Amino acid sequence: MLCKYLLLPLFLLITGSLFGQQTELPKKKTYTATRIATKPQVDGILNDEVWEDVPGAGNFVMYEPGDGTPSRSTHPTKVKIAYTNEAIYLAAFLYDHEPAKIRREFAQRDNLPTADYFFFDLNTYNDGENQTRFYVTAAGTLADAKMKRENEDFAFNAVWEARVSTDANGWYVEMQIPYSAIRFPGGKDQLWSMQLGRHISHLNETYVWNYINKSVGESTHYNGILEGVENIDAPVRLSFYPYISGEVDHIDNETSTAFNAGMDLKYGINDAFTLDATLIPDFGQTAYDEVELNLGPFEQTFGENRAFFTEGTELFTKGDLFYSRRIGDTPLGFNDAQDARLENEEILENPETTNLLNALKISGRTKGGLGIGFFNAITERQKAVYYNQITGEQRELITEPLANYNIFVLDQQFDQKSSVSLINTNVIREGHFRDANVTGFLFDVYNRGSSFNFSGEAKMSRINYAESNKTGFASQLAFSRTKGKFRYGISHEFANKTYDINDLGVNFVNNYSNFNWEASYRIFEPRGIFNEYNIQFYGDHQRRYDPDIAVTNNFGSSFFGMTRERFAFGGNVNYSTPFKDFFEPRRDNTFIKYPENALAEAWISSDYRKRIAIDSRLGYNKYLGSPHGQLNFSFSPRLRISNRFMLIYSFEFMEENNRESFVGLLPKNVIFGTRDMKSIENSLQGSYNFTNRQALNLSFRNFWSSANFADDSFSRLQDNGELVSYDGNLSEENNPDANFNIWNLDLSYQWRFAPGSEMILLYRNSLFNVDKQSELAYLESVDNLFKQPARHNLSLRLVYYLDYNSINSII
């Protein structure tokens, strides 16, 4: 097989490149933190005596748009760092000779507006991989994120404080980061790394303390050294998040009420490891999912909106084996329960979700760089209830048994930028309803000079039923150059036909052996009208593994550019050879042939510093030699009414014509039809910020989609992937036409009245309709939508943060 002959020379080439290139990284700056006996008052006014004897870190250099240029003499920066047994303290002096130009847009926690800001990156393991970033804007907005190289995960939420002040010489930040907000290895002397940065919005410039060579490796490889933190007698890391919530729900003349109370808990087992648990969880105020009309062969996936499953989960996402929405998802037997209804029976109950009983996670990292994580969640048994209208009897059918979800991870980091990992996920269901086990081995290695990266994965899945089981395997190998203006990479992806991780993860397809390549050219300093640009070329060769069949080839190019005036634009073109789709027919070892196609797309994004800014995108995909084509258009203006009030409107339109699409399965035939489809999405996001801790937020979305199949267009699929006319009749229940319309509106008042504590009053209004009236236009469909019963929901949730040390001092 082709991959057998390519992998060995590929590995030899990679090994030679990795260990033959040994470019040293620049020498790092060092700063020594000062132990203080008396903590400063965190008010943003840096006149505390304690700061007078603390040395400052200065001499910042440009990170963007230039490369290492010393900071302007008019905008010097100085940062002082001190610590006690309870916390780390920072004082940042951000001088500006034109303080009137400092941008101070208000926003809530973890929402960074177009404003001046200061950031502090802290890596307590000095491993070049995992660090925490703390942001403070000139208006006092706080944000924090877990950093995985260039990626920021704002789902991370720690309890810390910061205040700002402004005078004629610039603006100032004072921060307090308690040890309960971070993790660090045990030992007398701590050797941490850090980066300090400052963004000046009106100049469109970002400066950092330790120089970052953007042409080599990742920015997290360039932290400076933070030393001097020693003999920390850290307090007990134990905190509680008790909550109470109540809601009133009204739909179709029926009103119901509910009251919930529960608690989340966070306990520092030691300095490095933390236990998180949710007891009697409440997810009533999570954001709504952006549901669409889904006529494809794959399930629609959604982002995670539940805080417990987004905070501190970076270890558990290794290898992409954890899709947290599986926990509490639709019961496995939900659809079977619909089909299991007997004559004269009606379904009284068939829950669409599974209740989460409790969940916990333990994670941390040793002084030697070994990350260890354990995750467990238990969901409740669900059942359908049937009522016999003649006999009056009821019966039950279990649709999801009691289930236990587990993840165990070992992640060894070394050389400050590389890692090897072992992860296991398993789902155990009561009575061996369906059990699953997946194990993955991963590695991600940079050479010493960070100029080359070699990564790979090997994953094995095992599904056990009461009377049968199946084992699957998948792998990935990738090699890339990570230095210089010209970069390139190649990779291979493989999965056999029994690979299945869908009990706790997501894989849409298996049984493939694909080869990918890419090359790019970028600049790191302004050139001409550009602050930055990137030109990329890419391609892939996709194959079916068993039997060994070529599926398609793709070739494309993309461009991204940002001008000196912060106007961004770009686009991409792509060409695909004829494609054998093995998933649209919904029957094993069956495929449909789609002709070659060409795609072109372009987009613009104007300067967000302006009061009015616009994002827009236009794309067209044409299947050559066929009437099948698809047009996509989006337009999103944003209006900053004031520093406190922002509105963002989005409009998206899609029209697809003459697509050969799946209709249904018959005993001997797969039926297709020629489909026209349109969709329109309108959404509005608005926020009014009274302060950085109080705001009104509006979120609205209306999505309409219509799929219409021509009456005389039905055909059956042949073994060679071609379609021939189908003369049979389809029953009304097999009518594939669809008209889908959904409306969601959320209006909330949020008040963070203390660190870690908040109150949210939320009003929700929602409408939903799906029918077969595909001939209706958008406005006609909206009229029908408003004839449906509307759901009105009003809820209040109060969460209060309690720290053990504060409670203990009071007692």
Side-chain angles (χ1 to χ4, degrees):
M1 190 173 296
L2 181 60
C3 63
K4 294 181 179 179
Y5 300 105
L6 285 181
L7 291 182
L8 180 58
L10 171 61
F11 177 78
L12 294 175
L13 171 63
I14 290 167
T15 303
S17 298
L18 281 171
F19 298 102
Q21 302 281 337
Q22 299 297 333
T23 305
E24 294 286 351
L25 296 179
K27 185 178 179 179
K28 299 180 177 182
K29 288 183 178 180
T30 299
Y31 179 86
T32 302
T34 302
R35 178 185 280 275
I36 54 177
T38 303
K39 67 180 184 179
Q41 181 179 354
V42 181
D43 55 9
I45 302 173
L46 306 182
N47 57 2
D48 302 79
E49 290 185 10
V50 68
W51 291 121
E52 293 181 2
D53 298 326
V54 177
N59 299 320
F60 280 51
V61 296
M62 186 177 288
Y63 174 58
E64 289 179 339
D67 186 21
T69 305
S71 62
R72 296 173 183 243
S73 60
T74 54
H75 294 76
T77 304
K78 182 171 64 175
V79 180
K80 298 183 176 184
I81 303 176
Y83 70 97
T84 65
N85 277 338
E86 291 76 34
I88 304 168
Y89 297 88
L90 276 82
F93 302 78
L94 308 159
Y95 298 108
D96 193 318
H97 73 303
E98 296 179 300
K101 293 185 178 180
I102 298 172
R103 296 184 64 92
R104 302 180 183 88
E105 293 182 24
F106 284 77
Q108 297 305 296
R109 176 72 181 261
D110 289 337
N111 292 296
L112 285 175
T114 307
D116 286 37
Y117 59 76
F118 167 79
F119 67 85
F120 170 48
D121 290 353
L122 180 63
N123 189 325
T124 56
Y125 293 89
N126 188 26
D127 57 14
E129 287 280 323
N130 297 294
Q131 62 191 42
T132 306
R133 173 167 288 183
F134 300 91
Y135 285 100
V136 184
T137 74
T141 296
L142 274 58
D144 48 21
K146 279 289 187 181
M147 297 284 292
K148 180 62 176 176
R149 295 180 181 162
E150 304 294 334
N151 299 316
E152 296 176 303
D153 180 8
F154 285 97
F156 171 79
N157 282 297
V159 178
W160 56 286
E161 294 185 70
R163 293 291 188 275
V164 300
S165 67
T166 307
D167 63 19
N169 296 315
W171 66 289
Y172 311 92
V173 177
E174 200 163 18
M175 301 171 63
Q176 175 185 342
I177 303 174
Y179 296 130
S180 60
I182 59 177
R183 304 175 189 183
F184 50 88
K188 176 183 175 181
D189 298 324
Q190 298 290 324
L191 182 63
W192 298 349
S193 68
M194 71 170 185
Q195 184 65 274
L196 305 166
R198 172 191 185 179
H199 179 70
I200 305 170
S201 183
H202 77 93
L203 295 176
N204 190 29
E205 294 176 352
T206 302
Y207 294 91
V208 294
W209 171 63
N210 196 75
Y211 169 68
I212 297 174
N213 186 350
K214 294 181 288 185
S215 67
V216 182
E218 311 284 348
S219 64
T220 53
H221 298 168
Y222 292 90
N223 281 8
I225 302 300
L226 176 61
E227 58 184 18
V229 180
E230 57 187 19
N231 298 322
I232 301 174
D233 184 17
V236 175
R237 295 193 297 124
L238 176 61
S239 55
F240 307 92
Y241 299 81
Y243 78 86
I244 57 172
S245 67
E247 68 173 312
V248 178
D249 192 81
H250 178 83
I251 183 172
D252 205 15
N253 297 320
E254 293 186 6
T255 302
S256 61
T257 60
F259 175 81
N260 293 293
M263 184 173 66
D264 290 352
L265 176 149
K266 187 182 291 287
Y267 173 61
I269 299 172
N270 56 29
D271 293 339
F273 287 85
T274 302
L275 164 69
D276 293 275
T278 180
L279 310 173
I280 317 178
D282 174 34
F283 303 125
Q285 289 192 336
T286 55
Y288 56 76
D289 293 324
E290 296 188 354
V291 181
E292 299 181 358
L293 175 62
N294 183 14
L295 300 178
F298 308 119
E299 65 179 305
Q300 186 180 358
T301 58
F302 304 102
E304 180 57 82
N305 298 316
R306 301 169 294 180
F308 178 81
F309 293 104
T310 59
E311 296 175 6
T313 58
E314 60 274 4
L315 272 176
F316 305 108
T317 58
K318 293 280 184 178
D320 296 324
L321 298 178
F322 180 36
Y323 174 51
S324 59
R325 293 295 294 264
R326 293 289 184 222
I327 302 171
D329 203 355
T330 304
L332 287 177
F334 174 80
N335 292 326
D336 293 338
Q338 308 285 342
D339 300 332
R341 184 178 59 181
L342 302 177
E343 188 177 358
N344 300 318
E345 279 188 335
E346 64 173 318
I347 300 178
L348 299 180
E349 299 177 22
N350 188 18
E352 296 185 16
T353 59
T354 305
N355 295 329
L356 175 65
L357 296 177
N358 54 65
L360 65 86
K361 53 181 183 275
I362 299 173
S363 60
R365 196 170 294 276
T366 68
K367 190 173 184 178
L370 176 62
I372 303 173
F374 172 72
F375 174 95
N376 174 262
I378 299 174
T379 56
E380 190 177 26
R381 179 187 299 112
Q382 300 297 322
K383 55 191 176 182
V385 179
Y386 302 86
Y387 173 73
N388 191 306
Q389 297 171 317
I390 295 179
T391 65
E393 297 178 344
Q394 290 189 12
R395 69 179 180 94
E396 298 177 349
L397 176 68
I398 294 177
T399 57
E400 177 79 32
L402 185 74
N404 192 306
Y405 297 82
N406 296 282
I407 306 174
F408 179 68
V409 188
L410 297 173
D411 177 55
Q412 179 63 60
Q413 296 184 337
F414 58 95
D415 198 27
Q416 295 195 350
K417 50 185 171 292
S418 302
S419 66
V420 292
S421 309
L422 181 70
I423 180 169
N424 175 265
T425 71
N426 67 77
V427 182
I428 302 172
R429 295 184 173 93
E430 181 184 27
H432 300 288
F433 194 87
R434 171 183 162 123
D435 297 339
N437 189 290
V438 181
T439 300
F441 171 74
L442 324 167
F443 62 90
D444 188 2
V445 180
Y446 278 89
N447 68 330
R448 191 171 65 185
S450 296
S451 54
F452 289 96
N453 175 262
F454 181 37
S455 63
E457 302 178 354
K459 296 179 281 192
M460 180 170 289
S461 65
R462 174 85 170 183
I463 306 297
N464 296 321
Y465 301 93
E467 299 178 354
S468 63
N469 56 68
K470 65 177 181 178
T471 301
F473 177 78
S475 65
Q476 180 179 357
L477 282 174
F479 166 69
S480 60
R481 177 179 171 84
T482 55
K483 176 184 178 180
K485 297 178 181 179
F486 175 70
R487 303 189 182 194
Y488 52 83
I490 54 175
S491 64
H492 174 256
E493 301 172 324
F494 168 85
N496 70 0
K497 58 169 52 177
T498 53
Y499 179 66
D500 185 355
I501 63 171
N502 284 315
D503 288 77
L504 195 48
V506 173
N507 71 294
F508 291 143
V509 300
N510 55 17
N511 196 14
Y512 56 80
S513 180
N514 300 333
F515 297 85
N516 310 281
W517 65 269
E518 59 89 18
S520 64
Y521 180 83
R522 68 197 69 187
I523 61 171
F524 299 100
E525 294 185 76
R527 180 183 299 175
I529 66 168
F530 290 100
N531 266 350
E532 59 178 308
Y533 65 75
N534 187 344
I535 304 171
Q536 185 180 37
F537 300 91
Y538 55 86
D540 65 62
H541 172 66
Q542 300 179 22
R543 301 190 67 83
R544 189 84 162 164
Y545 166 63
D546 184 17
D548 183 21
I549 299 173
V551 174
T552 190
N553 297 294
N554 289 286
F555 307 93
S557 177
S558 65
F559 175 81
F560 166 84
M562 174 82 75
T563 71
R564 293 177 184 265
E565 300 301 319
R566 289 190 62 170
F567 179 81
F569 65 97
N572 63 283
V573 292
N574 188 88
Y575 169 77
S576 298
T577 62
F579 174 53
K580 297 183 180 72
D581 190 332
F582 283 86
F583 298 95
E584 179 69 13
R586 277 80 150 176
R587 179 166 284 173
D588 290 343
N589 300 316
T590 304
F591 65 90
I592 178 174
K593 286 183 180 178
Y594 287 115
E596 58 187 335
N597 72 87
L599 176 146
E601 189 174 45
W603 59 269
I604 60 169
S605 180
S606 67
D607 187 354
Y608 283 8
R609 295 174 299 176
K610 306 293 185 183
R611 186 173 295 273
I612 299 175
I614 295 174
D615 296 294
S616 188
R617 183 179 295 266
L618 177 65
Y620 185 70
N621 189 7
K622 174 63 177 175
Y623 286 76
L624 307 180
S626 163
H628 181 194
Q630 179 175 327
L631 174 70
N632 295 275
F633 172 72
S634 66
F635 177 73
S636 179
R638 48 196 301 139
L639 172 63
R640 178 170 49 85
I641 299 173
S642 71
N643 281 342
R644 299 178 186 272
F645 191 14
M646 169 72 79
L647 289 173
I648 303 174
Y649 169 71
S650 294
F651 170 82
E652 295 186 21
F653 173 78
M654 185 278 292
E655 182 175 22
E656 184 178 34
N657 295 314
N658 301 301
R659 174 186 170 87
E660 299 296 344
S661 301
F662 172 82
V663 171
L665 292 175
L666 299 179
K668 294 184 179 181
N669 289 303
V670 180
I671 304 303
F672 273 70
T674 303
R675 184 185 75 198
D676 292 341
M677 190 171 181
K678 290 182 180 179
S679 66
I680 293 176
E681 180 174 346
N682 288 284
S683 64
L684 180 66
Q685 305 292 322
S687 63
Y688 184 84
N689 298 275
F690 301 100
T691 68
N692 288 315
R693 293 167 178 80
Q694 293 186 69
L696 277 174
N697 295 293
L698 171 69
S699 180
F700 163 76
R701 176 178 182 262
N702 172 232
F703 178 83
W704 166 77
S705 189
S706 175
N708 181 60
F709 287 78
D711 293 337
D712 58 350
S713 69
F714 297 111
S715 54
R716 59 183 178 87
L717 184 63
Q718 300 183 100
D719 292 341
N720 63 359
E722 304 288 346
L723 295 171
V724 296
S725 178
Y726 176 68
D727 298 328
N729 295 319
L730 294 177
S731 62
E732 181 58 30
E733 65 180 19
N734 289 327
N735 178 8
D737 291 346
N739 179 75
F740 178 98
N741 212 322
I742 190 168
W743 163 295
N744 293 103
L745 183 146
D746 283 9
L747 179 63
S748 67
Y749 168 73
Q750 183 179 31
W751 177 30
R752 289 186 171 88
F753 54 87
S757 303
E758 67 178 3
M759 181 195 75
I760 301 177
L761 179 64
L762 172 66
Y763 167 72
R764 282 184 161 164
N765 173 258
S766 59
L767 291 161
F768 174 70
N769 183 49
V770 59
D771 55 40
K772 301 291 186 179
Q773 300 183 65
S774 59
E775 73 282 356
L776 296 181
Y778 170 64
L779 292 179
E780 294 174 315
S781 178
V782 170
D783 286 341
N784 274 359
L785 177 67
F786 278 94
K787 295 175 182 178
Q788 307 304 311
R791 178 181 293 275
H792 301 273
N793 182 279
L794 183 67
S795 62
L796 177 67
R797 190 172 194 267
L798 178 67
V799 180
Y800 194 81
Y801 170 74
L802 295 171
D803 181 75
Y804 167 81
N805 299 288
S806 300
I807 299 172
N808 194 42
S809 63
I810 295 174
I811 296 175

